[in-house]
Structures are given as C-alpha cells and as structure tokens.
Amino acid sequence: MSFFCDKRRKINDEKVFWWLKTRFIVSNEGFSELLLDVTCCCCERIYFPNAFSPNSDDLNDAFRATGIFTGLLSWDLSIWNRYGEMLFKSSAPLDGWNGRKNNVGEAAAAGAYVYRLVTENRNHELVSHEGVFVLLR
C-alpha cells in the first residue's frame, strides 16, 4: 500500500508568481520519497528608458526594453510619433529602435514619442505597456 500527496502553494512577490509543489510518498515501509519542485510563472519584469540619444557614441543609442522576458509567449512593440505615424515595429524582445523610420529610413526629429508593447504571458494573458519617451539629438 502506498500513499501519494501532491500539494501546490502559490507565493506572490509583486508580479512574480512562484509555485511551490511538494510531493511525498509513504508506503508500508514508511516514508520513502520527498520531492520539492519550485516553478516560476509569469516572471516578466519589463523596463523602458524615458529618453535615448541615437548619436553613435555607443551610449543609449537605441530605445529598447530591459528586464526579464522569460515566460513571454509573444512580444509586439510599436513606436509612434505625435502625428500617429508608426515608426518602428518589432516582435523580438532584444530589438531596439535606432531613431530612424523602420531602423533604416530618415532620422526622426528630437522630441517626444509613444511606445506600446503587448505581450502574452504563460497563462495566455495579454499584458499592455504604454509610455512616452524623449529622443535627444
């Protein structure tokens, strides 16, 4: 005869959710096995700068996100000017905007721009991040 128990406990630390799963098996001979399994879910922490300066000095030359992207199933970043024209779009978290239309066209003017990021986490929830940043020339 054996007994199997599987317990899960959710530990919430801001936007990071950890599942602590404990399993133990008891047989006629007594305690035989204990397993601890810690799993991280939805562990995205995404940060955007509030300014960047694409002047080829290798300091802040691209506008891109930083942080922890594990747990993301999709990534859709777009950057817009004040007239509603989309200047950049990317589906790769490590891609950044270099201050030119579609990263190859004419250099954008100094000023304020809007970004919008829509991600999908492991729970298939869509999460939206929006903000304003300044391009410095």
Side-chain angles (χ1 to χ4, degrees), residues 16 43-49 64-72 75 93-94 117 129:
V16 179
C43 31
E44 72 274 352
R45 290 184 183 227
I46 302 170
Y47 306 98
F48 285 96
R64 69 170 47 91
T66 59
I68 301 171
F69 309 132
T70 58
L72 296 178
W75 178 278
L94 300 179
L117 172 65
H129 309 263

Side-chain angles (χ1 to χ4, degrees), residues 7-136:
K7 292 185 177 184
R8 290 181 178 214
R9 193 170 110 201
K10 183 178 176 183
I11 303 168
N12 184 353
D13 176 24
E14 293 179 21
K15 290 186 176 182
V16 179
F17 298 95
W18 298 87
W19 288 96
L20 176 62
K21 183 168 90 173
T22 57
R23 274 190 333 187
F24 57 93
I25 299 171
V26 178
S27 67
N28 286 340
E29 293 81 35
F31 179 79
S32 64
E33 183 178 2
L34 172 64
L35 300 172
L36 290 176
D37 184 18
V38 179
T39 307
C40 177
C41 298
C42 304
C43 31
E44 72 274 352
R45 290 184 183 227
I46 302 170
Y47 306 98
F48 285 96
N50 58 9
F52 83 112
S53 58
N55 57 8
S56 300
D57 66 354
D58 292 329
L59 298 171
N60 302 313
D61 281 338
F63 178 83
R64 69 170 47 91
T66 59
I68 301 171
F69 309 132
T70 58
L72 296 178
L73 301 176
S74 69
W75 178 278
D76 183 22
L77 173 66
S78 55
I79 296 176
W80 307 78
N81 66 15
R82 68 176 108 189
Y83 305 110
E85 179 185 11
M86 185 178 1
L87 300 176
F88 179 75
K89 186 169 180 71
S90 175
S91 59
L94 300 179
D95 284 353
W97 181 49
N98 68 4
R100 297 182 172 279
K101 186 169 184 177
N102 297 319
N103 275 356
V104 294
E106 183 179 333
Y113 292 83
V114 174
Y115 70 87
R116 180 163 196 248
L117 172 65
V118 178
T119 60
E120 181 181 2
N121 63 27
R122 287 183 190 172
N123 295 330
H124 301 286
E125 299 166 328
L126 293 178
V127 181
S128 182
H129 309 263
E130 295 96 9
V132 176
F133 65 95
V134 177
L135 186 156
L136 303 170

